[in-house]
Amino acid sequence: MQAALDLARVASFGGDVPVGAVVLAPGGAVIGQGYNRREALGDPTAHAEVLALRAAAVNRGSWRLTGCTLVVTLEPCTMCAGAIGLSRVERLVYGTPDPKAGAVDSLWDVLRDRRLNHRPEVVSGVLAAECAAVLRQFFEAHRG
């Protein structure tokens, strides 16, 4: 999670909401990483999770990220939760909940929906206070 937090801080320097994500191979090596770049790229899909999953797929040479873990500082939205399920990651680890857009625990439970063919393990609350603090500092500075 510390690596994801470091990436989140990079996002804030570019004016994007500070969310960072890393994909870990089954052995623990980082095979993909990303941070929010919607503002920087002008791309509504440039969320940290999507960019990290894309990088991991390129690194692995396959869109199937079986056995991998995605670590992200903020609870994923519906788009990202869908991408997580479609990528077949084994585990999602996230920091702080997102009461406004969270699609894993807060508003919806997309990843554990029994109608879907892939349901990764979900671990929440890892370094939650630190993840929330990075977001809070960003919004306090931008809302003035």
Side-chain angles (χ1 to χ4, degrees):
M1 184 62 77
Q2 193 58 56
L5 274 165
D6 292 343
L7 289 165
R9 291 181 185 98
V10 172
S12 68
F13 294 128
D16 274 288
V17 174
V19 178
V22 295
V23 178
L24 306 173
V30 174
I31 60 168
Q33 60 184 16
Y35 53 88
N36 272 0
R37 300 195 66 208
R38 292 181 306 169
E39 298 297 332
L41 299 177
D43 179 354
T45 69
H47 288 208
E49 301 95 322
V50 170
L51 297 175
L53 291 169
R54 287 177 183 165
V58 167
N59 187 315
R60 212 171 209 210
S62 173
W63 61 267
R64 287 182 178 90
L65 300 177
T66 308
C68 294
T69 298
L70 173 67
V71 180
V72 62
T73 57
L74 180 65
E75 177 185 0
C77 69
T78 52
M79 176 185 70
C80 292
I84 291 163
L86 292 171
S87 71
R88 307 296 195 266
V89 296
E90 183 174 322
R91 180 179 307 104
L92 165 68
V93 176
Y94 75 86
T96 193
D98 184 350
K100 292 183 179 181
V104 177
D105 288 313
S106 296
L107 297 178
W108 297 283
D109 191 358
V110 171
L111 292 178
R112 295 184 201 99
D113 190 317
R114 294 210 174 272
R115 296 169 291 183
L116 299 176
N117 65 338
H118 181 74
R119 292 180 299 280
E121 174 188 359
V122 175
V123 178
S124 60
V126 176
L127 296 181
E130 291 89 336
C131 293
V134 170
L135 288 161
R136 186 174 49 257
Q137 291 164 1
F138 174 83
F139 285 113
E140 285 173 356
H142 285 81
R143 290 183 179 150

